[in-house]
């Protein structure tokens, strides 16, 4: 395995912070060394030093994104943290149902990873918003990782990610598909095209300028702030506040907190906020 010097680890941490807001503390050193070793094994670089010099001098955007992918974690699942989806069904969807025909409803899944979160929102809306076809409801899903976004666009998931869902949900929204891996074929499912059609997927670095003007009625920013330091979290959450509609709902991961940050969000319940 690659053994990074303190200086080299600092350089990696600097790149991660400057470009993507990721905070790499010493605790992450073993993980970084591990993942970097795998990346270098598959590449033509002869050492970590050579790779780092490349990144800091002549790296293309694509090279940088490969490095980002190496550092970031895409863990996700359908109906992750189900309390949020109960809240959406019980407190938010009734407001949509009371809205006039043609009303715009905008939902943003920021840091959507491979798409489970935005597709869960779409399936849930299809099931529980009785006047869905009368509304102009759109779900925006963004992430920085190219590999995660490719998977999200395809909407194909290994069976183990789908088999745990209720059978009626699986029957309604998923179709069996074989997944061709490098050396094997595994069973999987593709999410139904009617659900994919409700979600538009775009690449976005949360640290950059955003092209969207909002307002969003609902924003999901879950399980990504854990990778950011306090200042980055505060800046990000304040920007989210600006893009949220009055009375809009902001969901964060249940292991995350925005208490102590200088924002105007009002807490509704654990990991749920409003403006
Ligand atoms: C653990 S996943 C969370 C997925 C989903 N929100 C959930 O809760 O299941 C974290 C995601 O954040 C993304 N991410 C990390 N830093 C980012 C940044 N600066 N801009 C955009 N996405 C970022 C990663 O690519 C990854 O897909």
């Amino acid at each position: 395995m690659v053994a990074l010097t303190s200086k080299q680890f600092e350089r990696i941490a600097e790149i991660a912070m400057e470009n993507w807001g990721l905070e790499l503390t010493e605790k992450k050193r073993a993980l970084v060394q591990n993942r970097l070793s795998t990346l270098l094994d598959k590449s033509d670089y002869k050492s970590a030093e050579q790779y780092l010099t490349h990144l800091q001098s002549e790296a293309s955007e694509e090279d940088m994104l490969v490095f980002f992918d190496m550092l970031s974690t895409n863990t996700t699942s359908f109906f992750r943290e189900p309390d949020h989806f109960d809240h959406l069904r019980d407190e938010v969807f009734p407001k949509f149902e009371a809205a006039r025909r043609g009303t715009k409803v905008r939902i943003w899944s920021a840091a959507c990873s491979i798409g489970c979160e935005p597709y869960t929102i779409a399936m849930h809306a299809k099931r529980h918003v009785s006047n869905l076809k009368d509304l102009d409801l759109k779900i925006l899903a963004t992430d920085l990782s190219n590999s995660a976004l490719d998977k999200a666009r395809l909407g194909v998931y290994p069976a183990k990610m789908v088999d745990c869902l209720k059978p009626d949900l699986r029957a309604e929204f998923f179709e069996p598909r074989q997944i061709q891996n490098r050396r094997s074929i595994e069973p999987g499912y593709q999410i139904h095209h009617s659900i994919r059609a409700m979600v538009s997927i775009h690449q976005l670095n949360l640290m950059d300028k955003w092209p969207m003007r909002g307002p969003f009625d609902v924003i999901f920013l879950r399980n990504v702030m854990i990778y950011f330091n306090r200042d980055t979290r505060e800046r990000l959450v304040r920007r989210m506040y600006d893009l949220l509609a009055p009375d809009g709902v902001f969901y964060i991961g249940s292991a995350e907190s925005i208490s102590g940050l200088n924002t105007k969000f009002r807490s509704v319940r654990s990991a749920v906020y409003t403006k």
Side-chain angles (χ1 to χ4, degrees), residues 61-76:
E61 202 171 311
E62 189 52 40
D63 291 338
M64 293 301 282
L65 285 175
V66 169
F67 188 54
F68 169 78
D69 256 1
M70 181 207 93
L71 294 175
S72 69
T73 301
N74 298 130
T75 309
T76 188

Side-chain angles (χ1 to χ4, degrees), residues 46-176:
K46 295 197 173 60
S47 63
E49 185 57 37
Q50 192 188 36
Y51 180 59
L52 286 181
T53 305
H54 169 74
L55 283 182
Q56 291 185 306
S57 55
E58 57 194 10
S60 64
E61 202 171 311
E62 189 52 40
D63 291 338
M64 293 301 282
L65 285 175
V66 169
F67 188 54
F68 169 78
D69 256 1
M70 181 207 93
L71 294 175
S72 69
T73 301
N74 298 130
T75 309
T76 188
S77 54
F78 292 103
F79 289 92
R80 182 179 194 183
E81 298 175 10
D83 281 1
H84 284 157
F85 296 100
D86 291 347
H87 182 265
L88 202 59
R89 182 195 58 213
D90 299 340
E91 307 295 334
V92 182
F93 287 169
K95 290 187 196 155
F96 298 168
E97 289 181 319
R100 272 181 303 141
R101 182 180 265 270
T103 297
K104 271 189 186 176
V105 176
R106 296 291 179 261
I107 302 176
W108 180 17
S109 164
C112 67
S113 185
I114 59 173
C116 300
E117 185 174 272
Y119 290 144
T120 299
I121 301 166
M123 289 188 282
H124 212 46
K126 199 121 194 176
R127 282 231 152 155
H128 299 291
V129 180
S130 57
N131 58 337
L132 189 64
K133 63 176 186 345
D134 298 333
L135 298 174
D136 170 16
L137 183 144
K138 291 193 176 130
I139 301 165
L140 170 69
T142 65
D143 200 284
L144 180 57
S145 164
N146 268 335
S147 60
L149 291 173
D150 285 346
K151 287 184 186 159
R153 287 192 184 99
L154 204 59
V156 173
Y157 300 94
K160 59 180 180 293
M161 291 186 75
V162 180
D163 282 342
C164 50
L165 298 176
K166 290 195 181 115
D168 57 331
L169 199 86
R170 209 169 54 216
E172 189 174 350
F173 297 121
F174 291 87
E175 287 161 12

